[in-house]
Amino acid sequence: MSHAIRPTWVHATILGTFCAGFGIALALTDDITKAPIKERALEDKMNSLGQVIPRSIHDNNPVTDTVKLPNPKVGGHGAPAETEIYRATKDGKIVAVAYEYMASGGYGGPIRLMLGIAPDGKLLGVRVISHKETPGLGDKIEAAKNEWITRFTGLSLGNPPAEKWKVKKDGGQFDQFSGATITPRAVVGGIRQGLEFFATNSSRMMEKK
Amino acid sequence: MSIVIDKSGPFTHGPNNVSRTMFTVLAALAPATLYNLWLFGLPAIFLFIVTMAACAVCEAACVRIGGGNPDRALGDGSVAITGWLLALSLPPWAPWWVAVVASVFAVCLAKHAFGGLGQNVFNPAMVGRVVVLVSFPLQMTSFVTPKPLFTPGSPSLAEAFNITFGRGFSLDGISTASPLGFIKTELSKGNPVSQSIASVPSIGDMMIGFHPGSMGETAVPLILLGGLFLMWRKIISWHIPVSMLATLFLMGTLFNALDPARHAGGMFHLLSGASFLGAFFIATDYVTSPVSKSAQLAFGIGIGLLTWIIRTYAGYPEGVAFAVLLMNALTPILDQHFRPRVFGRTRKGEPLPVRGDK
Amino acid sequence: MSASYGRIVKDGLWENNGVLCMLLGMCPTMAMTGTGTNGLGMGLATAVVMAASNLMVAMFRNYVTHEVRIPVYILIVAANVTFVDLAMNAWMHELYKVLGLFIPLIVSNCLPLARLEAFAAKEPVLPSLVDGTFMGLGFTFALTVIGLVREAIGQGTLFADAALLLGPWAKVMEMRIMPGDWGILVLILPPGGFLIAGLLVVAKRMIDLASGKEIKMAGAHSV
Amino acid sequence: MKLFPILGGIHPEYRKELTSEKAIVALPVPKTLYLPLQQHMGAPASTTVNAGDLVKKGQLLAKAQGAISAAVHAPTSGRIAAITEMTAPHPSGLPTLTIMLDSDGKDEWAEPMPAINDPFAAAPAEIKARVAEAGIVGMGGATFPSAVKLGLGGQHKLEILLLNGAECEPYLTCDDRVMREHAAEVVDGARIMAHALGAPKVIIAVEDNKPQAIETLRAVAASQPNVDVVGVPVQYPMGAERHLTQAVTGRETPARKLTADVGVVVHNVATARAVHQAVRLGRPLLSRVVTVSGGAVAEPKNIEVPLGTRVSELLDFCGGVSKEAKRIISGGPMMGQPLPSLDVAVVKGTSGILALTQRETNEHASSPCIRCGSCVTYCPCGLVPVEMAAYIRNDKLDLAAKIGVQDCVSCGSCSYICPSHIPLVHYFNYAKGKIAALDRERRKNEQTKALVEAHNARLERQAQAKREAAAKAKAAKEAAEAAAAAQAQPNSAGGANA
């Protein structure tokens, strides 16, 4: 394959033209997809909130109604300084709040939980957002793999009593799964602390904007 | 009289051969194995038989597919070592299919896919163990406290059969963590090592094997005895075991001194887990370890270091198998870098300078 | 070099298969074949990028000087990848959540670039489009098979979550062939990717050997 | 005396007890002797007799030819039957030019060379000349012409003559017997050699498994202040020149250099005895002590054998060879060579004839390498045989050379110890031969290229010369024409007298 040697400006012009052309095309595509992508991101958030707060009980979009509280120290490990509290309202009245809580003590590091809590302190739902537990052992905390995590729905700090907020091996009431104690122990502890966080901060979570 | 002149000398040959070497290793393993089979009872015996048989079948099948002679391949004893070490590195009450899957991966994949005896890069037994450890973490981390044969707690024949071959047998009620696992769990609960170490079996109990663990992880003195026997028979040299154990001990002691709440001591690291089995019988595997002595030292140090790191920071409580496999991958490089000095040459391979005035 | 369309199709799908023969694009092959669905999705995304890139390069080949061709190729591949990335994010969001992280990696996949240089830069538009498409489909085929094997042995399912990729009708493809507990987990973890990819390379060569074909093996370049 | 450790090495089963207590017996002169013209390293000797000539014992039959060569003498009196090609005592089995000497049974001596009565007063050159005249070569098996080695004193400052009585090869006891029975001759020969070399000190090194030899030598050497006898550890290959030097002096000979470069020259004890006989008695090298041993030999013996005796006769003298013989070896079992036939002759380097059974050789088909690393541990040269063999098997000779295959001394420790029975030395010898051949080829090509270039340059020069000549001629012609033209003009003053 032979090719003539051309002056540099020829190459530069060619490259420049292509860059410009594709730049414009990309800008156009970005413009077209911007709105749908934003919508999807919102949907994602709503979906994950929807798992811990039933859609039927509220009529707002909790993603847009938030307050920020300082993150409790526990759980540490790179958690942001503030926790975003999502609030679900019906007819303007708060019917549930949801927030992320970092459970410490997992086998592979902290476990991110999403808790949905009714104003009376009752759990509407809990989900694990992300974790690094041993595949096949600890990952049964995912709702997709096991229904274990759904058993917390309806419980609160007083129910069961504080000394029973433990896995069975530690004398509490929650099952651990066979072969793995550490992960459920961390999750149970995390949920309990998450509820305590609600108990101490509920007024600030509920206050009107 | 048929006189042959087909090759160069020498025309006398030492008495050793491959199968003699292999069977010496098995002999060295025998006391610890017998003791452990007694310690963990009938299920352990079943599992041992299953593992050995599965490995032998895999070997015969692979050799036959490759067009070789299965009898000769089985006769050299290498697969017996693989099966034996594999059995020793499984929890004694693991179900049969764990052993079978491990055997298939060990023999077919780690050994024969690489070209058979002498060609494999990774230690077959450890590949088998790691595959099942990663695949079946539940079964692979369910240990039982020793229940010696002929003692009241030992399972009967029927029970033992159910443990090894039964489906859905649950160890939940009786399973416990190995000392390494226990320390790790306690640490994750926020209990410092300095406190939890008080609850693990005493050094004495650890020595005689009365603690939960894989078969080969217990009975340290007998393993040590076997290792010394191998050194005496010149099957292995001291380089890998000593450098590995010394590194592990030093790391343990050093970090324990720096932060006793976070790190277990050197003695604990030495006596728990597969430290001794790994040092004397697994890391020293001929095929997958370096050939020159200085490279072997580096290899041992690497395993010791990685074992300590994995035990301390990684997701699994025991790291010998992973450490060995990782260093296996480095073996060719170590061999390249640590060649012995050639007679009459400098380390760089230049001829030595002639002494000026002499 | 001018080949018949039949030849191009056959080369792309099997004989000169990007993964099984040329060992190109190993990065997505390892990362994205945990399930058949992931493999299929990643493969299709790559195929779209490849077809579009081949087409564009063949169109512009006479206007690109030799010296700047590589930057231009990369520009074209990168632009196409970004189109796919944005489009998927907007309109195939569920799959995007699975593959999203890996879509940008198509840029660093050697296979599209290799085909641009080896084929599209020299051939007319239509054959280039066919080559890109079928090389991409061959890639898809390999990734899907690897994904299916890993999925089947690793977690006991076939085409799990295919409905997310292909729409609700694909529910019929989703199958469970054995209880999840039986899975050999190591196969859906990264080592399993190497293992199955290696075994498939062997399988392809054995099939070729059995049918008496000459083995093609174009060295090992990979990303 | 302080000794130094050597690297690696093995402890094979020595089996020296088969012959160590067998005193040297003389073999009756056979009817016909077969004397190859090449019994040494270097160029073959050139004959000085013809078929049909009558010769006396000790008479020169073939003289050294070139710088590295050795003379051949008649071991007995008789008639030259023929000078013809016969199978060489070498595994190649190639034919080599051989003098056939029919013994007349009288064993009549020719006029001997004059004895040098006071060798220590004689010039080193004189001793060297006598050793050359006597056709003495290294009798440990290397067969390097001794006279050449005695000349090393000229170029090197030597400190020690190291007399090698290690005899580390299994089975062989010929040196042991020579030291025990002829200790005085050995010590005297050593001192003469040291004088010729200009080395002030003589050290006789004997492996510790030969205590009587050490004792006898010590007794003899007691009166000689500059002669030391040391026992060295029993460790094969202690008798290798460079390793023995290192063990005794701690000096490591650099690769591709001689021990002389570290001030040491090594000679074999049997060579010392031969030197003694040549210098003091004027006798050329006519016979040597050979150990005939091995499990397949009926009566193992140490025999003083006239050179040129056929191996078959030697074995018959020892009661014959049993059917179990698996290998017949010339030399020791470690570095010796298999004999292509029993009709080959005993030559100057033949230290032993071994007939080994399968049980002794313990040879088996090789199995895959298990990378046990024994070969690395036991290699006395610090090489990595496992890796070299792998390269050679894959025909990567350049890589094998890079990691030192040419530094291998073929001692056989690796092959001996290898549990997989891989013929490592065989690989290395093949590689060394091939590399040397490739080197020769390359040098030849370079030479050819240089010649071609020179040729082209010559042609070019010739062409140039021709052109110049033509130009000159043309110029001359023009000048001549001009001159002629000028001459045509009558008044021209100068003439072209070209």
Side-chain angles (χ1 to χ4, degrees), chain B residues 3-6 8 10-14 16-18 118 286-287 289 293 335 339 341-345 352 355, chain D residues 246 251-252 254-255 327-328 333 361-362 369-371 377 381 387 407 415-421 426 429:
Chain B
I3 292 167
V4 271
I5 48 161
D6 54 340
S8 310
F11 299 103
T12 181
H13 195 281
N16 63 330
N17 57 46
V18 173
Y286 283 156
V287 178
S289 64
K293 298 296 173 228
D335 265 337
R339 284 217 186 81
R341 186 176 69 82
V342 177
F343 187 93
R345 288 182 186 271
L352 290 177
R355 278 190 267 178
Chain D
Q246 190 184 32
R251 297 175 196 177
E252 185 172 335
R327 294 227 181 236
I328 307 281
T361 59
N362 193 24
C369 171
I370 53 170
R371 289 176 42 85
T377 310
C381 296
E387 211 177 333
D407 288 333
S415 299
Y416 175 86
I417 209 77
C418 177
S420 297
H421 293 257
H426 194 66
N429 286 347

Side-chain angles (χ1 to χ4, degrees), chain C residues 4-202:
Chain C
S4 71
Y5 289 113
R7 179 85 244 157
I8 298 174
V9 170
K10 226 168 149 185
D11 259 359
L13 288 182
W14 180 260
E15 299 205 341
N16 215 4
N17 187 293
V19 173
L20 300 182
C21 181
M22 296 193 281
L23 300 185
L24 290 172
M26 283 295 124
C27 164
T29 305
M30 295 309 155
M32 291 315 299
T33 53
T35 65
T37 310
N38 282 3
L40 184 63
M42 186 70 192
L44 288 177
T46 310
V48 170
V49 170
M50 284 184 72
S53 307
N54 261 20
L55 177 74
M56 289 180 189
V57 167
M59 276 162 59
F60 301 133
R61 73 195 155 110
N62 293 327
Y63 310 103
V64 181
T65 55
H66 185 74
E67 287 80 356
V68 295
R69 73 192 195 289
I70 299 290
V72 170
Y73 295 165
I74 293 175
L75 182 70
I76 290 175
V77 176
N80 281 318
V81 168
T82 314
F83 294 142
V84 171
D85 186 63
L86 291 172
M88 249 174 117
N89 194 351
W91 298 298
M92 282 191 272
H93 190 73
E94 288 304 318
L95 185 67
Y96 182 78
K97 281 200 284 193
V98 183
L99 299 180
L101 193 59
F102 299 95
I103 295 287
L105 284 183
I106 298 175
V107 181
S108 64
N109 186 339
C110 277
L111 189 56
L113 208 58
R115 292 322 292 172
L116 296 186
E117 175 76 358
F119 198 97
K122 301 169 194 158
E123 301 285 332
V125 173
L126 208 53
S128 295
L129 178 64
V130 175
D131 179 77
T133 311
F134 282 92
M135 272 289 162
L137 288 179
F139 185 71
T140 310
F141 163 72
L143 258 62
T144 311
V145 174
I146 295 173
L148 283 178
V149 175
R150 289 176 66 182
E151 184 183 358
I153 308 177
Q155 62 184 38
T157 58
L158 288 178
F159 285 116
D161 299 332
L164 295 182
L165 174 67
L166 303 168
W169 65 267
K171 270 277 179 225
V172 293
M173 288 166 65
E174 300 181 14
M175 267 179 278
R176 174 159 286 287
I177 55 172
M178 65 178 190
D181 287 350
W182 291 16
I184 298 175
L185 212 63
V186 78
L187 285 179
I188 46 176
L189 296 173
F194 286 93
L195 200 60
I196 300 301
L199 290 177
L200 280 186
V201 170
V202 172

Side-chain angles (χ1 to χ4, degrees), chain B residues 123-137:
Chain B
N123 185 319
M126 288 305 100
V127 169
R129 175 187 148 86
V130 162
V131 164
V132 289
L133 175 61
V134 173
S135 295
F136 313 116

Side-chain angles (χ1 to χ4, degrees), chain B:
Chain B
M1 185 161 72
S2 65
I3 292 167
V4 271
I5 48 161
D6 54 340
K7 70 172 181 82
S8 310
F11 299 103
T12 181
H13 195 281
N16 63 330
N17 57 46
V18 173
S19 44
R20 183 187 288 217
T21 305
M22 299 288 179
F23 286 109
T24 311
V25 175
L26 293 186
L29 274 172
T33 311
L34 289 175
Y35 178 71
N36 273 299
L37 291 179
W38 170 76
L39 210 56
F40 291 106
L42 285 170
I45 295 173
F46 287 154
L47 190 73
F48 186 80
I49 294 169
V50 167
T51 315
M52 293 290 278
C55 281
V57 169
C58 290
E59 173 89 3
C62 287
V63 171
R64 173 149 300 166
I65 289 170
N69 176 356
D71 290 341
R72 196 173 166 206
L74 290 175
D76 69 29
S78 64
V79 76
I81 293 194
T82 301
W84 197 303
L85 286 174
L86 188 56
L88 288 188
S89 64
L90 298 175
W93 288 22
W96 66 273
W97 46 267
V98 167
V100 170
V101 171
S103 304
V104 171
F105 275 89
V107 176
C108 300
L109 188 79
K111 186 176 177 188
H112 284 282
F114 284 84
L117 179 61
Q119 304 291 313
N120 48 305
V121 178
F122 299 103
N123 185 319
M126 288 305 100
V127 169
R129 175 187 148 86
V130 162
V131 164
V132 289
L133 175 61
V134 173
S135 295
F136 313 116
L138 172 59
Q139 286 76 14
M140 286 298 290
T141 49
S142 300
F143 297 107
V144 290
T145 320
K147 295 187 171 41
L149 273 179
F150 319 119
T151 58
S154 183
S156 70
L157 194 61
E159 282 168 337
F161 203 80
N162 192 31
I163 288 169
T164 309
F165 299 102
R167 266 210 58 202
F169 176 82
S170 171
L171 287 171
D172 264 3
I174 44 170
S175 81
T176 82
S178 64
L180 277 170
F182 175 75
I183 295 276
K184 196 146 200 158
T185 309
E186 290 300 305
L187 200 58
S188 73
K189 279 162 75 178
N191 297 335
V193 173
S194 42
Q195 189 182 323
S196 60
I197 198 100
S199 314
V200 301
S202 69
I203 296 281
D205 270 356
M206 302 254 292
M207 289 281 280
I208 60 162
F210 269 91
H211 65 88
S214 295
M215 266 191 266
E217 296 183 356
T218 58
V220 169
L222 290 173
I223 298 274
L224 178 63
L225 208 65
L228 293 177
F229 171 73
L230 285 188
M231 281 189 200
W232 173 61
R233 299 296 304 160
K234 291 215 162 74
I235 301 284
I236 61 172
S237 67
W238 58 269
H239 300 77
I240 294 177
V242 170
S243 60
M244 171 186 161
L245 293 175
T247 308
L248 190 59
F249 180 76
L250 284 179
M251 291 301 285
T253 312
L254 182 68
F255 280 82
N256 180 246
L258 291 177
D259 184 1
R262 174 70 181 86
H263 301 285
M267 210 56 204
F268 178 76
H269 271 293
L270 276 195
L271 292 178
S272 57
S275 308
F276 270 75
L277 184 73
F280 287 102
F281 290 94
I282 293 169
T284 54
D285 169 33
Y286 283 156
V287 178
T288 55
S289 64
V291 288
S292 68
K293 298 296 173 228
S294 42
Q296 288 179 356
L297 283 179
F299 182 77
I301 290 172
I303 293 179
L305 208 59
L306 285 172
T307 301
W308 182 84
I309 290 172
I310 293 170
R311 282 180 180 181
T312 310
Y313 298 111
Y316 293 94
E318 172 55 316
V320 171
F322 292 102
V324 168
L325 291 180
L326 285 169
M327 289 309 291
N328 284 165
L330 287 184
T331 294
I333 294 173
L334 291 178
D335 265 337
Q336 291 254 320
H337 274 265
F338 294 88
R339 284 217 186 81
R341 186 176 69 82
V342 177
F343 187 93
R345 288 182 186 271
T346 61
R347 285 237 160 257
K348 282 184 179 157
E350 303 297 323
L352 290 177
V354 178
R355 278 190 267 178
D357 55 345
K358 280 188 178 170

Side-chain angles (χ1 to χ4, degrees), chain D residues 124-168:
Chain D
E126 195 186 336
I127 309 276
K128 195 188 143 196
R130 168 56 57 90
V131 169
E133 238 177 301
I136 298 173
V137 301
M139 289 169 77
T143 67
F144 191 81
S146 301
V148 182
K149 221 169 162 183
L150 286 182
L152 285 170
Q155 305 124 39
H156 298 85
K157 189 174 174 341
L158 300 176
E159 291 161 59
I160 298 168
L161 166 66
L162 187 54
L163 208 59
N164 187 350
E167 199 166 51
C168 57

